[in-house]
Amino acid sequence: MSYEINDVKTGINHAKGMNYHVHDIRAEMKKLEEEGEIKIGRIIGPYKEEEVMYGIKKKIPLDMHYQHKSCGQCANLPGVPRSNFYYRDKLGIKYYNDMQQTSCTAWNYHASGLGNLVQLASVAARNWHRAYEEGYNFTIHCVTSFGNYLEMRHLLVSNKELRDAVKKVLASLGRELVIPEEIVHDSEIAYALRDKIFEAADPKRIEGIKRLRAVEHYGCHFFKQVSDDIIGGKRPIVVGGLASHLGVQMEEYSKWFMCCGFGFRHILVNREFTRSAQNIKLKAIKEEVDPDMILVNCTGCGTTFDKTQWIQKAVGEDYHYPVIFYSQLAALALGAHPFKEAGLDFHVTPVEPLLDKMGIAYN
Amino acid sequence: MSEENKNPVTEKIESAKGGHFYKEIMKDFRIKESLHGCLNCGTCVANCPAAAFYDYSPREVCQMMIEGDEETIEEYMKGKIWNCAQCYSCKYRCPKENSAADIVMAMREIAVREGLAEEALAGYTRIAKLVLTRGNQLAPDMLSPDAFPDWGPRMIELSSKKMEMREELFKGFPGMNVVDRAWAAEDYTIFEMQKIWEESGALEKVGTVFPFLVDIVQDDMDDKRDEMEVKINEKKAKLEASKK
Ligand code: SF4
Ligand code: SF4
């Protein structure tokens, strides 16, 4: 069944009648700022407002992007950060690829329990402060980081003890607690820029994109860890929204909600679990849709879907769905070379059939 | 904790129940936000990937904490908590807005602190080391095909030409084409990260599982400490000046 993005925006309208339940982190942050408890790193330059839960407007910055990178992407799917840079170059967006940033360390934390909340929140705040002191908007490549920073913002705002402990650590580094006005994932930015991407796209590439049918999968930490600050309400829409704007026919499948099986630790030390969870998802995708590709926005899910299809032969299944990130699709639309600029040759599930269908040469 | 933040469910059970692990878990301030009574409805279980494949249940996690059932808590502390995929599907779907995911996270922290995580973290050394010495969690040279034979033939193909491909991909993007880390974070940045682990007490905790790692980090820090502290002091002075 194909669907329109507006169909899934129900979470917003539904929540509008539930005023008693509204948790407005932005108002809480303003109050803390007035009390001198925190600073807010305000959006710099133009922005676009998009609706999140309860009809609250989230400001998506359209320029001056601090690129908070994903270690998993840079190491394993380097075509993703490269595509993130690519679409910005094409649209004339200024960005900063800082070498004074660290990983968010949330993958480590959730997998191992090593670390603690003061450490995790201090690492977050140190990275936020880098963007602030350089005069950029903090924007995030990785879904694990995104979920973690949403949660750290929430915990820092709601708990004075944690806030004080983190401020002390930051002071020992000559830094201060500056919470960004908005915690923004790169896929939200690409969605907010969908008109611009479409206008700047190569018409030939768009022709190819229009031939494609796809399903989407969102990282759990994109919308389940903190579920009230994502565009579209309770169910995310940004990846399918961008893709369908560019002409992809988006299809629904029954297991869209289910975790991909990454599991943070399972992908390293217990891949039987990962493969089993994958088999459930892939089976539903095959039987219900059999799409041309699986669209993702999360480092862990992208890795899991891409790397875990081949081994399903062991249980008699044959899956071969190219796994494409939202920004790789945007880069392809804008004319990127599929390998040299979108890095699709780093994926282990073959992407060639997809490129053939799109009429894109790769050799 | 302000009046409105008080949670009647956790307030009540806190005062009534006993057991060492139970008491330790209740100290984590996230628990108050993660337990609001439980309907025993099983919605969380139906959405839980870990429950689908293991003897593990987010409903049981919430129930054992409400009951203060030390025996079951111990079972989870000593092994079952490591089955959770940390996907937060339970939290998203629970009609009472409970979060087994957060309770498990608090429990994993305690398991590490109390020396119960050795088995669960076997095979985790390289990542822990990378975090503490490079400021990253993953590097291209960690993804060798012999460690991931189930990722298929393209992994083997990739490993032989990966570095050349990266060079081509990141032409004009300094700091991106590195082998032993995800990007070339500066020494000063890594020192700041190590200092965060030290100041927050997290480094000491690492010592319960990987004592040798603490020595490595401390040696590394001592080597650069004088030089780095000069930089930090400059930063502190600049921050003070900006406040005036
Ligand atoms: S979904 Fe919530 S209320 Fe239902 S069993 Fe699970 S924890 Fe209890
Ligand atoms: S976070 Fe853990 S307990 Fe909750 S649904 Fe996911 S695997 Fe199950």
Side-chain angles (χ1 to χ4, degrees):
Chain A
M1 184 184 72
S2 66
Y3 67 98
E4 294 296 325
I5 287 307
N6 278 339
D7 293 347
V8 297
K9 272 197 170 179
T10 48
I12 291 173
N13 300 328
H14 176 63
K16 267 183 181 159
M18 298 168 62
N19 285 340
Y20 65 93
H21 221 170
V22 172
H23 167 224
D24 188 352
I25 186 99
R26 291 163 183 80
E28 285 168 40
M29 278 167 62
K30 267 196 197 131
K31 196 166 152 253
L32 285 179
E33 188 185 41
E34 278 160 25
E35 290 164 3
E37 274 283 320
I38 60 164
K39 268 192 185 174
I40 298 176
R42 295 224 143 60
I43 298 278
I44 297 158
Y47 59 85
K48 186 164 180 228
E49 288 188 333
E50 297 280 358
E51 252 186 15
V52 299
M53 273 285 272
Y54 317 122
I56 289 172
K57 300 277 194 290
K58 180 170 184 172
K59 291 180 191 167
I60 308 297
L62 301 177
D63 201 5
M64 302 299 286
H65 295 159
Y66 182 93
Q67 299 283 280
H68 185 44
K69 292 185 292 287
S70 156
C71 44
Q73 286 174 7
C74 290
N76 175 34
L77 295 164
V80 185
R82 181 66 182 86
S83 297
N84 297 353
F85 301 151
Y86 184 91
Y87 83 73
R88 288 180 167 84
D89 282 336
K90 278 281 164 170
L91 300 181
I93 293 167
K94 198 168 172 214
Y95 60 94
Y96 183 39
N97 179 18
D98 184 22
M99 291 300 149
Q100 288 188 40
Q101 63 183 298
T102 68
S103 292
C104 67
T105 69
W107 177 37
N108 162 72
Y109 180 72
H110 288 279
S112 71
L114 290 172
N116 60 38
L117 283 181
V118 177
Q119 170 265 319
L120 202 55
S122 301
V123 168
R126 199 205 72 88
N127 281 328
W128 292 340
H129 194 253
R130 277 298 301 151
Y132 176 76
E133 65 183 355
E134 294 294 334
Y136 280 83
N137 296 305
F138 193 75
T139 72
I140 306 165
H141 287 188
C142 182
V143 156
T144 302
S145 307
F146 175 70
N148 176 58
Y149 290 148
L150 281 177
E151 185 168 19
M152 290 309 118
R153 174 177 74 171
H154 166 70
L155 294 178
L156 282 165
V157 167
S158 65
N159 192 288
K160 184 163 166 46
E161 228 175 283
L162 177 68
R163 205 158 58 229
D164 288 344
V166 168
K167 279 186 192 168
K168 214 172 126 202
V169 175
L170 289 172
S172 79
L173 302 174
R175 298 184 185 275
E176 55 186 339
L177 180 58
V178 184
I179 304 181
E181 184 177 0
E182 300 288 359
I183 301 290
V184 188
H185 187 258
D186 192 69
S187 61
E188 299 185 295
I189 296 173
Y191 174 73
L193 289 167
R194 60 196 180 279
D195 287 327
K196 285 197 175 149
I197 293 172
F198 185 75
E199 278 162 29
D202 175 346
K204 261 209 179 132
R205 291 284 173 95
I206 294 293
E207 242 174 71
I209 286 175
K210 280 188 179 151
R211 287 178 215 130
L212 306 176
R213 288 164 68 246
V215 293
E216 56 183 339
H217 171 83
Y218 293 94
C220 290
H221 286 214
F222 185 64
F223 72 112
K224 297 175 188 168
Q225 187 174 13
V226 175
S227 59
D228 59 7
D229 212 69
I230 48 143
I231 297 172
K234 266 229 139 176
R235 180 171 171 181
I237 59 167
V238 291
V239 173
L242 169 68
S244 57
H245 198 75
L246 297 177
V248 177
Q249 185 180 324
M250 293 306 298
E251 302 280 355
E252 186 71 295
Y253 67 110
S254 58
K255 298 285 178 198
W256 71 270
F257 178 83
M258 190 188 160
C259 162
C260 72
F262 178 70
F264 298 87
R265 51 181 294 98
H266 302 71
I267 191 78
L268 290 169
V269 295
N270 202 341
R271 284 200 296 284
E272 291 87 353
F273 168 84
T274 304
R275 295 194 284 264
S276 307
Q278 272 288 295
N279 193 26
I280 295 179
K281 290 211 61 127
L282 289 166
K283 207 174 221 157
I285 290 172
K286 185 173 188 177
E287 281 170 7
E288 298 168 25
V289 184
D290 197 23
D292 297 305
M293 60 180 167
I294 299 171
L295 288 169
V296 294
N297 72 341
C298 171
T299 313
C301 312
T303 303
T304 306
F305 270 105
D306 182 43
K307 267 65 175 180
T308 318
Q309 292 189 47
W310 176 83
I311 189 69
Q312 303 290 346
K313 287 186 191 4
V315 289
E317 303 286 357
D318 184 19
Y319 301 121
H320 41 76
Y321 301 116
V323 179
I324 310 292
F325 280 70
Y326 64 95
S327 57
Q328 290 177 310
L329 182 71
L332 287 178
L334 291 164
H337 187 283
F339 295 167
K340 292 176 192 164
E341 286 164 327
L344 287 168
D345 48 350
F346 284 88
H347 299 211
V348 304
T349 300
V351 294
E352 288 81 355
L354 177 80
L355 296 172
D356 288 340
K357 189 162 181 179
M358 294 169 82
I360 299 177
Y362 41 87
N363 276 327
Chain B
M1 179 96 1
S2 70
E3 272 309 304
E4 62 205 284
N5 283 343
K6 272 195 181 153
N7 177 334
V9 176
T10 49
E11 293 287 317
K12 205 161 73 196
I13 51 184
E14 219 175 345
S15 51
K17 306 285 158 59
H20 168 70
F21 288 132
Y22 172 78
K23 288 199 172 112
E24 282 302 304
I25 299 165
M26 289 309 286
K27 282 185 198 157
D28 193 302
F29 71 87
R30 283 170 291 186
I31 304 299
K32 280 181 202 282
E33 276 191 28
S34 305
L35 269 182
H36 309 95
C38 170
L39 305 169
N40 246 329
C41 64
T43 305
C44 51
V45 184
N47 287 281
C48 173
F53 302 109
Y54 299 110
D55 176 12
Y56 172 91
S57 155
R59 183 194 59 79
E60 197 170 38
V61 168
C62 293
Q63 285 287 328
M64 77 191 183
M65 286 308 298
I66 288 174
E67 296 294 324
D69 172 0
E70 189 72 10
E71 209 178 299
T72 313
I73 294 175
E74 213 177 302
E75 247 177 63
Y76 273 81
M77 284 298 301
K78 292 190 171 156
K80 286 188 180 180
I81 46 169
W82 301 102
N83 293 335
C84 169
Q86 283 293 296
C87 70
Y88 288 84
S89 302
C90 49
K91 181 184 184 185
Y92 181 99
R93 290 283 207 224
C94 173
K96 300 291 277 179
E97 295 187 7
N98 295 335
S99 175
D102 282 305
I103 297 171
V104 163
M105 215 39 252
M107 292 172 79
R108 283 187 182 174
E109 273 201 41
I110 296 163
V112 171
R113 210 166 60 213
E114 303 214 351
L116 297 171
E118 230 162 274
E119 203 187 312
L121 297 190
Y124 200 74
T125 334
R126 288 185 77 190
I127 298 205
K129 190 174 167 199
L130 199 66
V131 171
L132 289 164
T133 59
R134 296 281 186 252
N136 278 151
Q137 303 170 110
L138 203 65
D141 68 358
M142 283 165 85
L143 297 161
S144 57
D146 44 322
F148 297 91
D150 51 334
W151 285 4
R154 280 233 177 172
M155 263 313 265
I156 301 168
E157 226 179 275
L158 254 182
S159 69
S160 60
K161 54 180 190 186
K162 187 161 63 183
M163 293 325 294
E164 255 167 69
M165 284 160 62
R166 291 181 71 93
E167 206 177 305
E168 168 97 53
L169 188 72
F170 286 128
K171 226 185 284 161
F173 294 90
M176 296 298 287
N177 186 24
V178 279
V179 188
D180 61 344
R181 61 192 93 179
W183 58 80
E186 294 176 11
D187 278 355
Y188 177 61
T189 303
I190 296 168
F191 184 79
E192 280 191 278
M193 170 80 126
Q194 292 168 330
K195 212 167 140 94
I196 288 175
W197 281 74
E198 194 178 52
E199 300 266 329
S200 63
L203 187 61
E204 198 187 324
K205 224 180 88 180
V206 171
T208 61
V209 195
F210 304 117
F212 66 95
L213 207 49
V214 179
D215 295 339
I216 291 177
V217 175
Q218 256 147 11
D219 285 350
D220 192 20
M221 286 182 81
D222 288 343
D223 284 348
K224 357 178 227 199
R225 200 177 293 269
D226 292 344
E227 185 193 337
M228 297 299 163
E229 289 292 351
V230 172
K231 275 189 161 185
I232 287 181
N233 285 335
E234 280 167 17
K235 240 184 144 52
K236 282 181 184 165
K238 223 170 113 189
L239 185 66
E240 273 315 305
S242 76
K243 278 180 185 162
K244 277 170 199 157

